[in-house]
Amino acid sequence: MSTTGARVPDEEADAAHAGSWSGLWWWTRRRSVALDVSLAAASALEASFEGATFAARIGIVSGLGALIGLLVGAMLVLRRRWPIAVVLVAIAVTPAQTGLILSMVGFYTLAASEVPRRLTALFAGMSGLGTMLVAFVSIESSVRHSSSRLGLPLVLAISILVAFGLTAPPVLFGLYVRARRRLVESLRDRADGLERELELLAEKALERAERARAAERARIAREMHDVVAHRVSLMVVHAAALKAVALKDPAKASASAELLGDMGRQALTELRQMLGVLRSASGTGTGDAAPRAKYAGGAADPAAGEAGVDAAAEAGVEAGLGHEPDAGPSLAELAQLVQESRAAGMGVELAVEGEQRPCGRRIEATVYRVVQEALTNVRKHAVGAKAQVRLAYREAEVAVLIVNGPAEAVVATALPSGGHGLTGMRERVTAHGGGFAAGPTPDGGFRVSAMVPTAP
């Protein structure tokens, strides 16, 4: 499947999502327009009636007052676009006692919009003062023409209450809606920010998982290379010796065959230990007891077993299994490693300096693998050369030096080499914060040195 084809469902989902939002916007827009038109119609009717009443009271044509009131009330349809203009018109017609709906809805819209609050407070004060004066004059006139006796303070108090009741509620409600809208927008922005952060974290987690898988694959490759290269090179050497003495010296041939079998069994043991660590990640246990029981029953497939190992390895990576196997070699086994090389015909000397002490399984395994790979390279590239291995225990580090002379013999069939030995040794040492150096010597030999700190 092409990459473009794989993105088609996502693009369709995005288009559908955008279409749903567009439809919601248009539906909300239609509702807003319908509400504005309804409020404007109600305001126009109310202002027209009040305008006709005011015109008749001051002695002008009622139709003219009704027409003016109709135009004034209809301005409410513009409240979202020009809220300040609507409020100013409402304040202007306050002396005519016209536009109650226009005033209340206009002040609500002004307070709920993004107009600065100081302007809202200024216009509300102007409207409240005008409404109080109109109410005071109207109540005073009614009291003067009636038989009731109301004192001036009481009339003033009633006028203030009327002005406050007509101005304060829409302004306060509009400010509340404005604050709530801002809160919702801030929460939405915060949710969008958190969603973006989660997406970034998910991408980083995937990158870390990929890096962990790559590091685990490199570690397994180093282990497999060290085990297979060392043991198989010894087996090749012994096989060549066996071929040379098979007919001349049957006793020596038998001894070489026995050593060859021992090398094969040791290689299998180390491979089982390594695969056991991988299998333990998925709960299948370590060692080869479980696979042996499966094959004995005849119900298991070798391909399925390999797939299980791959799955266990990947599960181990995701579970954080980046450590060396617990059954890795130690520095105490260096003498045996040197003895195996001597048995294969190499001239190897081992010298240990300093007080021997435990340095940690991972550090000891790293130093052991460096020596093992260096001796393997001597067998591959410097046949017949003598080698010296010097191990030094220092205060805060362990150092090792492997030096070999030039090759003294040329074989018809050289051991194959993948060119990964030096790279693997360097990766092992630098993973512990140590130093590694390798290169030819002036006499035609080769020198490998490594220093691994024992303190974290």
Side-chain angles (χ1 to χ4, degrees), residues 22-101:
S22 177
L24 179 61
W25 183 86
W26 278 109
W27 179 76
T28 306
R29 181 68 177 172
R30 285 196 295 268
R31 284 192 58 187
S32 301
V33 172
L35 178 62
D36 291 347
V37 171
S38 300
L39 290 174
S43 176
L45 292 176
E46 181 257 341
S48 176
F49 176 76
E50 292 176 348
T53 303
F54 179 75
R57 190 165 59 247
I58 62 175
I60 63 175
V61 180
S62 299
L64 180 60
L67 179 60
I68 295 175
L70 184 65
L71 295 176
V72 168
M75 283 196 65
L76 194 60
V77 76
L78 304 175
R79 68 186 183 96
R80 298 182 189 272
R81 185 179 294 271
W82 297 304
I84 296 179
V86 173
V87 168
L88 289 177
V89 171
I91 294 175
V93 299
T94 298
Q97 300 180 11
T98 302
L100 178 63
I101 297 177

Side-chain angles (χ1 to χ4, degrees), residues 234 335 337-350 379:
L234 286 177
L337 178 66
V338 171
Q339 184 61 35
E340 292 175 356
S341 299
R342 289 173 180 170
M346 287 182 59
V348 186
E349 295 180 1
L350 174 63
R379 283 192 296 272

Side-chain angles (χ1 to χ4, degrees), residues 10-20:
D10 294 337
E11 294 175 355
E12 292 178 352
D14 293 341
H17 185 68
S20 63

Side-chain angles (χ1 to χ4, degrees), residues 284-311:
T284 56
T286 59
D288 61 335
R292 188 179 301 168
K294 289 182 180 180
Y295 294 138
D301 185 9
E306 293 177 0
V309 171
D310 292 339

Side-chain angles (χ1 to χ4, degrees), residues 120-393:
T120 303
L122 175 62
F123 293 144
M126 293 171 58
S127 177
L129 180 61
T131 303
M132 184 191 69
L133 293 177
V134 171
F136 180 81
V137 172
S138 178
I139 295 173
E140 181 64 22
S141 176
S142 298
V143 170
R144 191 182 307 115
H145 293 86
S146 65
S147 58
S148 59
R149 296 181 179 274
L150 294 176
L152 185 62
L154 183 58
V155 174
L156 182 61
I158 293 174
S159 302
I160 293 174
L161 288 176
V162 170
F164 183 82
L166 294 178
T167 306
V171 172
L172 294 177
F173 185 63
L175 291 175
Y176 164 75
V177 171
R178 177 182 179 180
R180 185 174 180 275
R181 185 183 299 135
R182 285 189 173 182
L183 176 61
V184 171
E185 290 177 355
S186 65
L187 292 176
R188 185 183 295 113
D189 293 340
R190 184 178 299 178
D192 293 339
L194 290 175
E195 184 177 357
R196 288 191 293 270
E197 290 181 3
L198 288 176
E199 291 177 356
L200 291 176
L201 289 175
E203 292 177 359
K204 291 182 179 179
L206 290 176
E207 292 176 359
R208 286 196 297 271
E210 290 297 330
R211 288 197 297 269
R213 291 189 183 96
E216 185 69 5
R217 286 193 293 268
R219 186 191 69 82
I220 295 174
R222 286 196 300 269
E223 290 290 332
M224 297 290 289
H225 175 272
D226 292 342
V227 172
V228 173
H230 176 70
R231 298 298 178 187
V232 172
S233 64
L234 286 177
M235 293 170 67
V236 171
V237 172
H238 283 290
L242 178 61
K243 180 181 179 181
V245 301
L247 299 178
K248 299 178 182 179
D249 192 348
K252 191 173 182 179
S254 177
S256 297
E258 185 177 356
L259 286 175
L260 193 63
D262 292 339
M263 294 298 167
R265 283 187 289 271
Q266 290 175 3
L268 289 176
T269 300
E270 293 187 9
L271 288 175
R272 289 192 188 105
Q273 291 173 352
M274 195 181 311
L275 295 177
V277 174
L278 298 178
R279 291 192 183 98
S280 64
S282 59
T284 56
T286 59
D288 61 335
R292 188 179 301 168
K294 289 182 180 180
Y295 294 138
D301 185 9
E306 293 177 0
V309 171
D310 292 339
E314 189 164 338
V317 172
E318 296 185 357
L321 293 177
H323 56 77
E324 300 288 341
D326 293 337
S330 64
L331 293 179
E333 302 175 27
L334 277 182
Q336 181 180 356
L337 178 66
V338 171
Q339 184 61 35
E340 292 175 356
S341 299
R342 289 173 180 170
M346 287 182 59
V348 186
E349 295 180 1
L350 174 63
V352 180
E353 302 175 2
E355 183 180 356
Q356 299 185 18
R357 65 182 187 277
C359 301
R361 295 293 288 177
R362 295 183 63 189
I363 294 176
E364 293 191 8
T366 296
V367 177
Y368 180 93
R369 293 302 187 192
V370 169
V371 177
Q372 183 185 55
E373 179 61 23
L375 294 179
T376 302
N377 288 339
V378 174
R379 283 192 296 272
K380 287 182 179 180
H381 308 293
V383 179
K386 295 183 179 180
Q388 295 179 351
V389 179
R390 295 178 59 188
L391 176 66
Y393 290 90

